[in-house]
Amino acid sequence: MNFNSLINSRHREQVEVDFVSTWRTTIASETITLPTLTNYEVDWGDGTSTTNANSHIYSIAGDYEIKIIGGVTDFSFNNTGDKDKIINISNFGGIEIISSAFFGCTNIDITATDIPVIQGVVNVFKDCSSLIFNSSIYDWEVNTSNISAMFFGATSFNQKIFPFNSTMTVLSSFFRDSNSFNQPIEGDTSRVKRMDNFFRGCTAFNQPLDHLNYSSVERIQNFMFGKTSANYDADYYADLLIKWDDLGNGGLDISIADIFTIGMGSIKYSSYGASARANLVAKGWIITDGGQV
């Protein structure tokens, strides 16, 4: 038996299950407290390891790589605690991502290329204004119904995301105020009921959306509130109006709606979308936009 190979194999397996993140302290004797109630085995990055403590005092200010060993099931800042001290995640390892996990982590970026277990993503990266991430998020398997506000306020984020799928029903404020995002949207939206504030404040977004299915949408108000004719293509909007008017091909159905106002900021539509827009208004939709080009 090759014992060196066995040792190296076990080491690789151990590394793979570690949740590895970097935290920054700025003064001597500063404490870092992990956002979890469970006592995990933790390597604090300064030569200290514990199995019964979620806080640690660092005698010298600096950046420290913290490793949490094994599965992590309740890690969530939820806009509290030491949310501004975590600056990077380099390995997800055994962590289970839950809703609001990194909400409010204004200094965090993610360079990890492995894929975490997804238990919930509501507000998960909300207000993560430094988040750039990497392309690995396209391969995430997200099979939860409510994915609202996932990138709300993630003002630096501009990566292609995972395709939507038929388990998803609530996408409210998904990209709200993510004003750097401008990537194609893919997937199955046939069961989505709520898309209110979906691209609100997304000033950089300029992609077609007429390929998506809107047949189950009940609420879509303020869909593109805050956008202007300078940052959204008039032809894209005209195509979207035509899609919305064509119920047989995934359009909007006034009979199931509970909110009738579609806020499109001041974007304009090309002339060939005028008829579809008029039809939607005649059906009862209230549309605010910048008018025809």
Side-chain angles (χ1 to χ4, degrees), residues 88-214:
N88 187 57
I89 296 171
S90 55
N91 196 69
F92 285 114
I95 192 174
E96 294 181 1
I97 300 295
I98 61 177
S99 292
S100 300
F102 305 106
F103 175 16
C105 296
T106 58
N107 296 313
I108 198 172
D109 194 14
I110 297 175
T111 57
T113 57
D114 61 323
I115 299 174
V117 176
I118 307 296
Q119 299 293 354
V121 296
V122 174
N123 295 327
V124 70
F125 297 122
K126 185 176 180 181
D127 293 337
C128 292
S129 54
S130 298
L131 181 69
I132 297 174
F133 220 109
N134 57 64
S135 59
S136 70
I137 198 169
Y138 182 76
D139 297 320
W140 280 24
E141 295 182 12
V142 179
N143 295 306
T144 59
S145 60
N146 187 347
I147 62 171
S148 57
M150 184 173 181
F151 295 103
F152 187 162
T155 55
S156 300
F157 179 75
N158 187 27
Q159 297 289 346
K160 192 173 183 180
I161 67 159
F162 49 84
F164 295 134
N165 62 61
S166 60
T167 66
M168 300 170 181
T169 59
V170 181
L171 275 65
S172 303
S173 298
F174 189 81
F175 289 115
R176 181 171 176 174
D177 296 334
S178 300
N179 53 27
S180 294
F181 182 77
N182 186 27
Q183 298 291 330
I185 304 298
E186 299 178 1
D188 180 0
T189 56
S190 60
R191 296 186 61 203
V192 173
K193 295 181 179 181
R194 292 190 56 173
M195 299 183 80
D196 43 311
N197 298 298
F198 191 54
F199 289 110
R200 180 173 182 166
C202 295
T203 52
F205 184 76
N206 191 23
Q207 302 284 337
L209 293 168
D210 60 305
H211 58 291
L212 299 179
N213 189 315
Y214 301 87

Side-chain angles (χ1 to χ4, degrees), residues 6-16 67:
L6 179 60
I7 292 170
N8 289 337
S9 175
R10 288 180 176 173
H11 176 70
R12 286 194 300 271
E13 290 175 2
Q14 182 66 66
V15 170
E16 289 174 359
K67 297 179 181 179

